[in-house]
Amino acid sequence: MLSFFKDYKYFAIVFAVLSIIIVSIIYNIFDVYKPLPIYQPAMVNTEMVDSTIQYKKKYHKIADFSLTNQNGETITQNTYEDKIYVADFFFTTCQTICPIMTDHMVQIQKEIINDPDVMLLSHTVTPEIDSVAQLKKYALKKGVNDAKWNLVTGDKKQIYQLARKSYLAVKTDGNGDAYDMIHTENFMLIDKKRQIRGYYDGTNPEDITRLIADIETLKEEYK
């Protein structure tokens, strides 16, 4: 009797291992859909989040906004209505991470150029320097397609609040200016409900590849 169970024990182990292998193969073959997470303030590094919302665990969305783009046009949440978009924060005179981030945004622009569901949005963190004319000059230099990508400036308080309370993407400077901020390398993927679905290092080519793939994953939700 003991020998019988011993024989079947080995059979059960082999069967379990084979089952795991078969399930893994099937999973990969059919590329089972896995939805992207929905980021809430409580899930993000507290350095990036305004203290008033750090506890928030659900229902977070990008707030309404009204800013001005490189062509002097008013850009609001309605401009991005029913769109997936990638957002970031930058400034035109930055000589460190911004050129790399912008080059990667250009790469993403190439990937989505014929996709009507996807756009880009870059906010300056130095609106006192980045006037409409300055943004236009920068846009022309970098090859920004006006139909796909808005570089926006406006009231510094509003941009600060968007960065800290909506996109959860910048640090405060701590130099005494209530609305001063240090932008980070973060790119944010925003869905059609104005929810954050991903964070990416805008200076890292591997993260850009992942972001482009995640855009396609997110689009599956709307089919």
Side-chain angles (χ1 to χ4, degrees), residues 179-196:
Y179 303 114
D180 213 354
M181 51 192 150
I182 301 174
H183 79 100
T184 65
E185 67 278 3
N186 284 330
F187 283 3
M188 289 69 65
L189 178 60
I190 312 301
D191 68 16
K192 294 184 180 184
K193 295 180 179 179
R194 295 157 63 180
Q195 301 173 125
I196 303 170

Side-chain angles (χ1 to χ4, degrees), residues 17-128:
V17 171
L18 287 174
S19 296
I20 291 171
I21 293 171
I22 291 169
V23 169
S24 297
I25 291 171
I26 292 173
Y27 187 89
N28 289 324
I29 289 174
F30 289 98
D31 193 20
V32 177
Y33 171 71
K34 294 182 290 183
L36 300 177
I38 299 174
Y39 284 86
Q40 306 297 332
M43 300 165 62
V44 179
N45 184 341
T46 55
E47 284 188 298
M48 309 293 179
V49 185
D50 189 87
S51 61
T52 60
I53 61 168
Q54 287 176 359
Y55 65 90
K56 193 173 182 181
K57 296 182 178 180
K58 56 184 178 180
Y59 306 130
H60 182 73
K61 293 187 178 183
I62 306 303
D64 292 352
F65 59 90
S66 181
L67 298 164
T68 305
N69 76 355
Q70 66 268 25
N71 296 312
E73 301 166 338
T74 299
I75 302 299
T76 73
Q77 67 282 351
N78 294 328
T79 309
Y80 289 82
E81 185 176 6
D82 202 32
K83 301 291 183 184
I84 293 167
Y85 68 97
V86 180
D88 76 336
F89 290 83
F90 81 114
F91 59 104
T92 62
T93 55
C94 168
Q95 298 298 316
T96 54
I97 63 174
C98 291
I100 301 171
M101 293 171 65
T102 301
D103 287 346
H104 283 152
M105 274 290 199
V106 170
Q107 179 184 339
I108 298 168
Q109 179 181 249
K110 289 178 181 177
E111 293 289 333
I112 65 160
I113 197 68
N114 295 316
D115 191 333
D117 289 331
V118 188
M119 295 180 67
L120 308 175
L121 178 60
S122 294
H123 312 73
T124 179
V125 296
T126 59
E128 67 278 8

Side-chain angles (χ1 to χ4, degrees), residues 150-169:
N150 291 295
L151 313 181
V152 292
T153 188
D155 177 67
K156 188 170 186 178
K157 178 180 179 181
Q158 181 184 181
I159 294 171
Y160 174 91
Q161 290 179 337
L162 281 170
R164 297 280 294 168
K165 294 185 177 182
S166 284
Y167 294 103
L168 319 175

